[in-house]
């Protein structure tokens, strides 16, 4: 994650105060994520409100999505529902009602316009590449696509997992049409592979994975785990969280799983990988 320098955030603040809606929105995102300045939810909402007043195309809608009865309850947003255990080994948890239907629709609609063929991790180079094992599409939300609603969702995920927000990779929203799949795979990175070793040194292991189901009007499409033959499909807004590592930090080889293909309709799911620390810290 590229952290803006102090002079960059100062320039953004100057531009926002001069009436630049885009600068105000970016400052809201940076304050929500704690990038380039300390994380400050009050400041994030103030800058988002400013961006809306200046005519930013999505800021007013974001404020509405975060509001209930005209108020934004940040304490509520930052307190995720309690999980329930689906399986002990590996540790797999379900979190019912993790996101509201309107936030799910927001994330799905934003992703729909920018989806591309999904990639897999090249074991030699660490770069993404196309493979027949993965036929679905996806959209990655880096800083250029980030908004305050998604920053709140990421914070909620981190708190549910008990892991630091700076350790979250860029969020992805995945799309599966009928017959599309992400066949059997693991999310952890293998330190024995050259392409993985450099990434592990820079950012640490993918300790956990979180999925949030953004719709449920499809058939099939379960998330399947080899361990115990678990097949899980949540309702719209539900989350699925599992640990990719054991308590001692070593990889849990029992976490091999697959995104099974829908047999009817289209499946949309938010995918979040979580590491234990920010890059190179």
């Amino acid at each position: 994650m590229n952290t803006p320098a102090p002079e960059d955030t100062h320039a953004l603040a100057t531009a926002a105060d001069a009436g630049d809606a885009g600068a105000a929105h970016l400052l809201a995102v940076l304050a929500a994520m704690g990038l380039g300045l300390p994380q400050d939810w009050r400041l994030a909402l103030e800058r988002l409100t400013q961006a809306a007043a200046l005519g930013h195309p999505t800021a007013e809608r974001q404020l509405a999505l975060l509001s209930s009865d005209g108020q934004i309850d940040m304490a509520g947003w930052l307190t995720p529902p309690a999980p329930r255990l689906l399986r002990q080994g590996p540790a797999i948890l379900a979190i019912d009602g993790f996101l509201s239907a309107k936030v799910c629709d927001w994330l799905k609609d934003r992703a729909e316009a920018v989806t591309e063929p999904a990639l897999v991790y090249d074991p030699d180079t660490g770069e993404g590449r196309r493979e027949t094992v993965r036929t679905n599409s996806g959209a990655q939300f880096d800083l250029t696509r980030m908004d305050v609603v998604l920053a709140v969702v990421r914070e909620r995920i981190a708190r549910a997992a008990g892991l630091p927000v700076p350790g979250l990779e860029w969020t992805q929203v995945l799309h599966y049409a009928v017959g599309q799949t992400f066949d059997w795979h693991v999310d952890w990175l293998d330190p024995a592979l050259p392409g993985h070793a450099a990434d592990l040194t820079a950012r640490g292991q993918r300790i956990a994975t979180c999925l949030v189901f953004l719709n449920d009007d499809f058939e099939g499409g379960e998330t399947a785990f080899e361990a115990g033959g678990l097949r899980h499909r949540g309702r719209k807004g539900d989350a699925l969280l599992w640990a990719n590592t054991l308590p001692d930090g070593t990889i849990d080889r029992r976490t091999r799983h697959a995104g099974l293909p829908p047999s009817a309709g289209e499946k949309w799911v938010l995918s979040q990988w979580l590491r234990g620390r920010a890059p190179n810290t």
Side-chain angles (χ1 to χ4, degrees):
M1 208 176 274
N2 295 324
T3 302
E7 57 268 26
D8 296 330
T9 56
H10 178 74
L12 283 170
T14 299
D17 293 341
D20 186 328
H25 182 263
L26 182 52
L27 280 171
V29 170
L30 295 177
M33 299 183 70
L35 283 178
L37 66 169
Q39 188 181 52
D40 186 333
W41 291 106
R42 179 194 57 79
L43 177 61
L45 295 178
E46 286 180 356
R47 288 297 190 180
L48 186 60
T49 301
Q50 180 191 27
L54 292 171
H56 186 276
T58 70
E60 187 172 353
R61 176 62 176 150
Q62 290 180 63
L63 289 167
L65 287 167
L66 294 171
S67 299
S68 177
D69 298 325
Q71 300 292 323
I72 298 178
D73 177 13
M74 284 309 303
W77 275 109
L78 303 181
T79 307
R84 56 187 175 88
L85 186 65
L86 294 178
R87 184 170 177 81
Q88 184 65 50
I92 305 173
L93 305 170
I95 310 176
D96 300 329
F98 187 77
L99 291 180
S100 68
K102 63 181 182 179
V103 170
C104 290
D105 291 341
W106 169 260
L107 296 170
K108 172 181 170 295
D109 291 346
R110 288 211 60 214
E112 198 163 10
V114 292
T115 53
E116 299 175 335
L119 306 177
V120 299
Y121 218 79
D122 189 302
D124 296 318
T125 67
E127 301 296 326
R129 70 181 187 189
R130 295 288 302 278
E131 281 286 352
T132 56
V133 70
R134 188 173 195 184
T135 57
N136 69 298
S137 59
Q140 178 170 282
F141 287 83
D142 60 14
L143 187 57
T144 64
R145 292 175 174 167
M146 187 64 59
D147 60 43
V148 176
V149 172
L150 183 51
V152 171
V153 171
R154 287 165 57 89
E155 181 79 29
R156 196 167 168 88
I157 289 171
R159 294 193 179 209
L163 291 169
V165 173
L168 272 63
E169 296 188 31
W170 293 121
T171 304
Q172 299 180 72
V173 172
L174 308 179
H175 171 247
Y176 294 81
V178 170
Q180 291 184 339
T181 184
F182 191 177
D183 212 345
W184 296 102
H185 65 284
V186 294
D187 290 344
W188 45 261
L189 304 179
D190 190 340
L193 298 175
H196 292 189
D199 194 343
L200 286 166
T201 298
R203 299 194 286 176
Q205 187 57 267
R206 286 176 176 161
I207 294 175
T209 298
C210 182
L211 300 180
V212 183
F213 299 91
L214 301 182
N215 71 318
D216 54 17
D217 52 343
F218 60 91
E219 301 296 331
E222 299 91 346
T223 301
F225 291 84
E226 281 190 335
L230 177 64
R231 302 286 187 273
H232 182 79
R233 180 185 145 171
R235 296 167 298 179
K236 183 175 182 176
D238 292 348
L240 183 66
L241 175 67
W242 68 89
N244 295 309
T245 59
L246 298 167
D248 65 1
T250 58
I251 54 178
D252 190 341
R253 298 183 181 276
R254 300 168 298 175
T255 55
R256 195 164 183 254
H257 61 284
L260 300 182
S263 57
E266 301 180 19
K267 172 185 173 181
W268 291 88
V269 61
L270 179 149
S271 175
Q272 183 66 63
W273 288 319
L274 300 94
R275 307 205 191 199
R277 57 178 172 81
N280 296 314
T281 59

